[in-house]
Amino acid sequence: MGGVYLVHLVVMVLSLGVLAGTLCQVDDGSENGTTAVYIVTLKQAPASHYYGELRKNTNVFKHGVPRNPKQSHNPRNDSRSNQSSSSYIARVHDSLLRRVLRGEKYLKLYSYHYLINGFAVLVTPEQANKLSRRKEVANVALDFSVRTATTHTPQFLGLPQGAWPKAGGYETAGEGIVIGFIDTGIDPSHPSFSDDSSLNSYPVPSHFSGICEVTRDFPSGSCNRKLIGARHFAASAITRGIFNSSQDYASPFDGDGHGTHTASVAAGNHGIPVIVARHHFGNASGMAPRAHVAVYKALYKSFGGFAADVVAAIDQAAQDGVDVLSLSITPNRRPPGIATFFNPIDMALLSAVKAGIFAVQAAGNTGPSPKSMSSFSPWIFTVGAASHDRAYSNSIILGNNVTIHGVGLAPGTHKNTMLTLISALHALNNETTVATDMYVGECQDSSNFNRDLVKGNLLICSYSIRFVLGLSTIKQAIATAKNLSAAGVVFYMDPFVIGFQLNPIPMRVPGIIIPSPDDSKVLLQYYNSSLERNETTKKITRFGSVASILGGLKANYSNSAPKVMFYSARGPDPEDNFLDDADILKPNLVAPGNLIWAAWSSLGTDSVEFQGENFALMSGTSMAAPHIAGLAALIKQKFPSFSPAAIASALSTTASLYDNNGGPIMAQRAYSNPDINQSPATPFDMGSGFVNATAALDPGLIFDSGYDDYMSFLCGINGSSPVVLNYTGQNCLSYNSTINGTDLNLPSITIAKLYQSKTVQRSVTNIAGGETYKVGWSAPYGVTIKVAPTRFCIASGERQTLSVFFDAKMNSSTASYGRIGLFGDQGHVVNIPLSVIVKVTYNTTTNI
């Protein structure tokens, strides 16, 4: 559900608190309108505002080791899923609802109390209006829908030789760190999440207090010392009548596959054999194989998810004590209002960041258009998708010595023997015609064909739009071929299916899919020209075409990589629904997201071709985000006191700007023929660059910022004061000064509109030994810049302020890019990307 697979672009959602399930009604209660779910925020501060600092100060790990390393307790099971909250704050919520909606029907779904003080409630618009007028109420927001957006990637990222040894090896990489996943759940039986893969002690972190729900689908014992927390949130979906318990599972169990996949990318056990369709594709490992997993299911196969459920999941994860939060989900629409940052999910994540939680989100699979970004706020680390160097190629050699390339994780024909080709349309039995079944060429039903004609030959089948829609499947065509004793299958692309990108698909028999319509024509022309027919009856008397399938099971590692994938969402970051540009760089980074092997749920239905398999090969920004979540766990393990912003800085400033051949990272620019339509990536394609896992553990300098900085930024948005008060309960007047996006101490500088000149400051802190840095830069086109100082010495723990002077030298509305580099004499290199969009010089009346 959350990846780009075959030709699909798919995306996902979020959740937060304790289900109350309290239905209140009166004898004559009549509804005044259509009911809907609203998220109501109160002005009183939530629990985390009082206890967040205590948590940060009392739960510090020394290099990932808990205060009591001998502690080895198991996670708690809890059979009371969706239990009513008995907390004081929940009682306050109930009291308010009774007083305001006296004698009327309503249904409270959740009480949020840790990150935000509020609740989700099913009411009419008139009732929502009543609530909004109460002095205790800060904000009332309509609920909205959301959607889902490695065997080799640890090697491609250099983990075995770099980051893992720095953490003591893969046996301890990530230990003591809890990664929370807001996703479609998890399959607890998968070996990627067992806790018996090592003889070493594996204690549950003492700072984590989460539970494991117990249901028929998720029985007692599903959790262990690896999978230490599991809950599900679906109240908003249930009130809409769209929750299908038999398909969606009212438990943390993953009936989709997406959540199991993303969790194993970040924190799956090391060295798990990847066996699909009886073929071995290597061994899998998460980025932080010793990290702990906590699952908060708020997304579902049949409908995606809703913000009320996602906010509840986020709130619970923060209260439980996760260190990193991974969200491979995005909203289905751009949030309305004065700024995209003001939405329930982003504001809940702001409170999570205040509590010290590093939040990672997928950029979305809506690229390659500009401003297609679906993750907006500067406190959220947004990840785009890039390729890595592994590829699976398959080929078919025709009898006329023409070789056609294709895809398919399939074996080749025996000893590359030339076998007869026969089209499905020429192998019909006497009862079947194209007139009676116009899709018979897709080979979905073996009863339509003459087994004697097909046996021992290569069956040619068509790949049409119906495969894209899921109405026909490769798996069923393979079953047809096996039932007919075919030696293999060749799929040609229907000419109406243009420009789609096909992921390799597992096949248990020799097979290949030819994704190019032009190459498909070459195959069919050769096949038709080799047919011999009776001159009188025109019936085929001999099938003269032959071919050999080489097979696609063996990977090659020669591709230029990384490159930004066509589907990865792009900046600039849209500040509002008018598509004004924010002074914030998005995405923050790109990471491997294309063709990622990872764990799959035993009952996962998101990809038909991987149903029943333990692993799946998926693509999307959904797969990129958990790579960063796992790497963030390694940073948190090494630097326990790092703030979320410091972790983001370490990842960003050390990112790579070049591919494995030393050239610039490229970005695909079109959905059709993306490898032809590509050009060097800009910061709006790749953020700071491609993640460098080893360098991120030794960044030298960091750019830090915190909750108050983000609040000053939000208060600096024109007209935002009442909205900030509504969401946070804090008055902007309490902040002596406000700032804009360029003033945030981010490891990048983005200027949406440069009127004449501007000075921007950045502050860096040295977390390494004393070092002398030289400063170099390249200015964006149409702009001159100067940086001061151009050289500085900085001791360990000291801070240094950099002033960057921008001066527009031309009028232009075309974005241009540059970089600042800080080069330390001890080997540290700090990369700061620059982006300037609109440029206006002095004395001009030009309309930009």
Side-chain angles (χ1 to χ4, degrees):
M1 191 155 116
V4 181
Y5 59 92
L6 294 185
V7 295
H8 295 59
L9 291 176
V10 194
V11 220
M12 244 160 114
V13 312
L14 303 123
S15 171
L16 194 121
V18 179
L19 176 64
T22 305
L23 179 63
C24 299
Q25 57 184 4
V26 293
D27 297 336
D28 61 343
S30 59
E31 295 191 35
N32 297 322
T34 303
T35 58
V37 176
Y38 292 83
I39 301 172
V40 180
T41 309
L42 304 187
K43 293 177 180 177
Q44 183 181 0
S48 66
H49 285 230
Y50 298 111
Y51 301 114
E53 289 303 317
L54 178 63
R55 179 197 157 194
K56 286 189 288 183
N57 292 336
T58 59
N59 292 292
V60 176
F61 284 77
K62 298 285 187 179
H63 305 290
V65 180
R67 288 186 179 274
N68 182 5
K70 294 182 179 180
Q71 182 182 14
S72 185
H73 62 276
N74 288 319
R76 294 181 292 136
N77 290 312
D78 193 331
S79 61
R80 298 164 297 161
S81 61
N82 296 335
Q83 57 189 322
S84 295
S85 174
S86 59
S87 69
Y88 169 75
I89 292 179
R91 292 197 300 273
V92 170
H93 299 164
D94 293 337
S95 175
L96 175 64
L97 285 166
R98 285 194 298 268
R99 284 184 281 116
V100 177
L101 306 178
R102 188 185 306 274
E104 300 179 22
K105 295 179 181 179
Y106 63 88
L107 178 65
K108 189 183 79 168
L109 308 180
Y110 297 105
S111 275
Y112 310 135
H113 56 86
Y114 191 75
L115 292 179
I116 63 174
N117 180 6
F119 51 85
V121 62
L122 180 69
V123 291
T124 65
E126 290 79 7
Q127 291 173 315
N129 187 45
K130 287 182 181 180
L131 287 167
S132 69
R133 295 199 300 267
R134 294 288 300 193
K135 63 181 182 180
E136 305 98 318
V137 174
N139 190 53
V140 177
L142 184 64
D143 192 15
F144 57 89
S145 61
V146 291
R147 55 186 176 179
T148 54
T150 112
T151 57
H152 176 61
T153 50
Q155 284 74 24
F156 186 65
L157 294 172
L159 296 180
Q161 298 79 33
W164 285 347
K166 290 178 181 291
Y170 70 82
E171 300 92 343
T172 58
E175 189 167 299
I177 305 300
V178 183
I179 306 177
F181 297 89
I182 313 292
D183 218 300
T184 64
I186 197 167
D187 183 347
S189 66
H190 200 283
S192 290
F193 310 113
S194 71
D195 64 356
D196 57 3
S197 60
S198 173
L199 298 177
N200 297 331
S201 173
Y202 196 20
V204 174
S206 59
H207 68 282
F208 184 78
S209 61
I211 65 167
C212 287
E213 290 182 11
V214 174
T215 70
R216 184 180 61 183
D217 308 314
F218 211 83
S220 179
S222 294
C223 286
N224 51 41
R225 291 170 298 161
K226 175 72 173 182
L227 174 58
I228 60 175
R231 297 175 184 249
H232 87 286
F233 303 84
S236 184
I238 291 171
T239 62
R240 290 168 163 81
I242 63 173
F243 186 88
N244 184 337
S245 60
S246 62
Q247 179 178 344
D248 296 316
Y249 299 97
S251 76
F253 185 82
D254 183 10
D256 179 273
H258 185 271
T260 301
H261 197 277
T262 56
S264 70
V265 169
N269 287 327
H270 180 269
I272 307 301
V274 178
I275 299 175
V276 174
R278 297 197 295 263
H279 309 306
H280 185 210
F281 293 99
N283 296 325
S285 175
M287 300 298 102
R290 198 67 169 170
H292 303 271
V293 172
V295 170
Y296 303 85
K297 178 181 175 181
L299 301 173
Y300 297 84
K301 167 62 179 175
S302 61
F303 56 85
F306 296 94
D309 294 326
V310 170
V311 170
I314 297 172
D315 190 60
Q316 189 63 59
Q319 184 176 350
D320 289 348
V322 302
D323 301 290
V324 177
L325 201 53
S326 179
L327 302 94
S328 288
I329 61 174
T330 58
N332 277 320
R333 59 179 174 84
R334 189 171 288 111
I338 64 170
T340 52
F341 321 117
F342 293 113
N343 68 81
I345 292 173
D346 284 34
M347 296 309 292
L349 289 174
L350 175 58
S351 290
V353 167
K354 182 180 182 182
I357 300 169
F358 180 73
V360 187
Q361 186 178 21
N365 296 339
T366 48
S369 300
K371 302 186 185 184
S372 52
M373 186 57 53
S374 297
S375 175
F376 314 107
S377 298
W379 53 86
I380 301 172
F381 199 82
T382 304
V383 188
S387 65
H388 53 93
D389 61 348
R390 184 190 62 207
Y392 295 97
S393 59
N394 200 341
S395 300
I396 182 172
I397 301 176
L398 306 181
N400 58 0
N401 291 324
V402 173
T403 299
I404 299 176
H405 299 289
V407 297
L409 299 173
T413 49
H414 182 63
K415 295 182 179 180
N416 297 328
T417 305
M418 287 288 184
L419 299 172
T420 300
L421 291 163
I422 181 167
S423 170
L425 299 177
H426 296 150
L428 302 177
N429 59 32
N430 293 332
E431 291 77 35
T432 306
T433 65
V434 175
T436 58
D437 185 353
M438 63 185 298
Y439 304 114
V440 69
E442 296 173 6
C443 306
Q444 298 297 291
D445 187 350
S446 60
S447 66
N448 292 325
F449 302 99
N450 184 331
R451 185 175 184 275
D452 294 335
L453 282 175
V454 177
K455 184 178 180 180
N457 297 322
L458 296 177
L459 181 64
I460 301 177
C461 307
S462 65
Y463 188 103
S464 76
I465 193 68
R466 288 167 53 85
F467 286 82
V468 178
L469 300 175
L471 301 175
S472 297
T473 69
I474 298 295
K475 181 172 283 190
Q476 187 56 44
I478 295 299
T480 295
K482 292 181 69 175
N483 289 338
L484 299 173
S485 298
V489 190
V490 179
F491 294 90
Y492 68 89
M493 188 62 63
D494 186 290
F496 294 103
V497 183
I498 301 174
F500 287 117
Q501 298 300 299
L502 291 176
N503 279 355
I505 297 168
M507 306 180 194
R508 299 197 176 196
V509 300
I512 187 172
I513 308 171
I514 302 172
S516 163
D518 291 338
D519 288 342
S520 296
K521 289 180 182 178
V522 172
L523 168 70
L524 295 178
Q525 287 170 356
Y526 165 67
Y527 172 79
N528 289 323
S529 68
S530 302
L531 294 174
E532 295 182 10
R533 297 179 181 269
N534 181 287
E535 291 185 2
T536 303
T537 63
K538 303 301 181 182
K539 289 185 176 181
I540 298 173
T541 58
R542 180 175 175 270
F543 298 94
S545 60
V546 294
S548 174
I549 299 173
L550 298 185
L553 297 176
K554 187 176 181 180
N556 68 75
Y557 303 92
S558 58
N559 281 6
S560 294
K563 64 177 64 175
V564 183
M565 300 308 298
F566 62 91
Y567 51 79
S568 186
R570 312 298 168 92
D573 185 15
E575 185 174 83
D576 50 39
N577 269 326
F578 299 104
L579 295 182
D580 291 329
D581 300 318
D583 295 322
I584 307 295
L585 179 62
K586 293 290 179 179
N588 296 87
L589 203 67
V590 292
N594 201 59
L595 302 181
I596 305 300
W597 281 116
W600 197 246
S601 175
S602 57
L603 298 179
T605 58
D606 186 28
S607 171
V608 173
E609 309 303 342
F610 288 98
Q611 279 187 6
E613 303 288 356
N614 278 338
F615 285 85
L617 189 69
M618 304 293 286
S619 297
T621 57
S622 277
M623 286 68 243
H627 278 85
I628 297 302
L631 297 177
L634 300 183
I635 298 174
K636 185 71 173 177
Q637 180 184 22
K638 182 178 180 181
F639 302 103
S641 62
F642 262 24
S643 68
I647 296 174
S649 173
L651 288 162
S652 299
T653 61
T654 58
S656 174
L657 305 175
Y658 304 98
D659 65 19
N660 53 1
N661 293 319
I665 294 174
M666 305 297 283
Q668 297 177 337
R669 301 293 179 191
Y671 186 60
S672 179
N673 301 314
D675 285 327
I676 298 175
N677 297 293
Q678 61 182 19
S679 61
T682 73
F684 290 150
D685 302 315
M686 66 175 182
S688 293
F690 183 78
V691 64
N692 184 329
T694 302
L697 290 171
D698 185 21
L701 305 176
I702 60 166
F703 297 76
D704 207 359
S705 55
Y707 179 81
D708 287 343
D709 300 305
Y710 300 131
M711 286 294 293
S712 294
F713 159 69
L714 292 174
C715 289
I717 297 172
N718 188 32
S720 69
S721 292
V723 185
V724 172
L725 179 64
N726 288 348
Y727 269 111
T728 67
Q730 294 180 256
N731 196 318
C732 284
L733 294 177
S734 63
Y735 290 87
N736 295 327
S737 61
T738 60
I739 60 176
N740 59 33
T742 57
D743 297 321
L744 280 171
N745 196 39
L746 302 175
S748 61
I749 300 175
T750 301
I751 303 177
K753 296 178 181 178
L754 176 61
Y755 290 109
Q756 302 172 358
S757 62
K758 187 178 184 65
T759 300
V760 177
Q761 290 191 328
R762 289 293 184 266
S763 177
V764 295
T765 302
N766 186 11
I767 64 161
E771 196 162 0
T772 299
Y773 283 86
K774 293 182 179 179
V775 183
W777 62 84
S778 61
Y781 181 72
V783 178
T784 60
I785 70 168
K786 292 181 180 180
V787 183
T790 59
R791 183 179 182 273
F792 61 90
C793 299
I794 185 169
S796 179
E798 284 191 349
R799 301 181 67 183
Q800 172 68 50
T801 297
L802 300 173
S803 296
V804 186
F805 308 94
F806 292 82
D807 191 7
K809 292 301 180 183
M810 64 183 297
N811 298 315
S812 174
S813 59
T814 302
S816 54
Y817 314 96
R819 294 199 177 268
I820 297 173
L822 310 180
F823 305 93
D825 61 4
Q826 300 301 309
H828 293 108
V829 177
V830 177
N831 162 48
I832 308 168
L834 311 175
S835 307
V836 181
I837 306 176
V838 174
K839 296 165 279 287
V840 180
T841 63
Y842 287 95
N843 303 320
T844 179
T845 58
T846 303
N847 223 350
I848 298 296

